[in-house]
């Protein structure tokens, strides 16, 4: 969620691009200039995430590392599928950018607990993460914040979701663990907002 907190501060300080929010209150879509490059970037990130999450186990144990690779992959796939379905239901159109951000949302959502989740849990976490992408992008637009790449929805909203998911689905799941995760979200959020504002301003 650290990058998401920084993105929130950055888009608030920078303001919207010309043409993003129209005088009649509608939101102007400013699509990316190269969708194939964006798709390739997401696929590269997906591949790189195996090293990121797999290495986070801090162990050469093949069982633990293999489990992390599977939960990471399943959450990403579920996130992409969910974002596509929710976006199609909500906007009645095929949106590749939502699908791609859904993949990233699934990856972000599973990262905090990739080693303490079952494969089934990782699919549920990824599926919820994908839905949060679509709803998060709509919320950010409603708040009149111009987030060109969906970083707030991907990293902040799903960073928070993934952190809390450890207390809901993890090996030590329970109210106590959920409370600990919530304390982590609030403390890291406060630290990141203050430092990001100081640096970016």
């Amino acid at each position: 969620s650290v990058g998401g907190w920084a993105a929130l501060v950055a888009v608030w300080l920078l303001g919207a691009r010309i043409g993003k929010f129209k005088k009649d209150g509608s939101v102007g879509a400013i699509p990316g200039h190269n969708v194939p490059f964006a798709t390739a970037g997401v696929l590269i990130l997906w591949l790189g995430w195996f090293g990121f999450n797999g290495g986070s186990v801090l162990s050469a144990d093949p069982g633990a590392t293999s489990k992390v690779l599977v939960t990471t992959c399943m959450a990403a796939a579920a996130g992409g599928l969910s974002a596509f379905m929710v976006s199609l239901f909500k906007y009645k159109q095929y949106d590749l950018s939502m699908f791609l951000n859904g993949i990233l949302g699934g990856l972000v959502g599973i990262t905090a607990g990739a080693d303490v989740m079952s494969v089934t849990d990782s699919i549920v976490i990824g599926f919820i993460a994908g839905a949060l992408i679509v709803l998060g992008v709509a919320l950010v637009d409603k708040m009149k914040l111009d987030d060109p790449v969906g970083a707030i929805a991907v990293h902040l909203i799903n960073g928070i979701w993934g952190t809390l998911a450890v207390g809901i689905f993890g090996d030590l799941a329970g109210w106590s663990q959920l409370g600990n995760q919530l304390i982590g979200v609030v403390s890291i959020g406060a630290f990141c907002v203050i430092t990001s504002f100081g640096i970016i301003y």
Side-chain angles (χ1 to χ4, degrees):
S1 66
V2 172
W5 291 113
L8 179 64
V9 172
V11 300
W12 177 62
L13 288 174
L14 285 170
R17 294 167 291 170
I18 296 170
K20 177 63 178 178
F21 301 109
K22 300 178 181 176
K23 291 180 181 178
D24 63 0
S26 63
V27 179
I30 305 175
H33 73 285
N34 196 319
V35 176
F37 274 7
T39 306
V42 168
L43 294 176
I44 291 167
L45 276 168
W46 193 343
L47 179 64
W49 226 282
F50 291 126
F52 181 71
N53 278 3
S56 296
V57 178
L58 300 178
S59 163
D61 176 54
T65 304
S66 298
K67 178 184 178 184
V68 168
L69 300 182
V70 173
T71 57
T72 298
C73 190
M74 296 308 289
L81 183 63
S82 172
F84 174 79
M85 289 167 43
V86 173
S87 177
L88 181 61
F89 178 77
K90 185 172 173 61
Y91 299 112
K92 305 293 187 282
Q93 63 181 12
Y94 301 122
D95 190 338
L96 181 59
S97 67
M98 284 291 190
F99 172 69
L100 296 174
N101 272 346
I103 292 171
L104 296 179
L107 290 167
V108 170
I110 196 60
T111 294
D115 61 333
V116 295
M117 306 294 182
S118 72
V119 176
T120 306
D121 290 341
S122 72
I123 295 170
V124 173
I125 290 166
F127 203 83
I128 292 171
L132 288 174
I133 289 293
V134 180
L135 302 175
V137 168
L139 175 64
V140 169
D141 283 345
K142 199 167 191 175
M143 295 169 64
K144 299 293 187 220
L145 294 171
D146 182 11
D147 182 5
V149 296
I152 295 170
V154 170
H155 289 283
L156 178 55
I157 293 173
N158 276 306
I160 292 170
W161 159 239
T163 304
L164 295 177
V166 174
I168 300 169
F169 297 97
D171 292 342
L172 300 175
W175 289 110
S176 174
Q177 184 65 43
L178 185 60
N180 291 337
Q181 299 301 112
L182 186 58
I183 290 169
V185 167
V186 173
S187 58
I188 292 296
F191 176 81
C192 291
V193 166
I194 293 166
T195 55
S196 297
F197 183 87
I199 294 166
I200 299 169
Y201 184 80

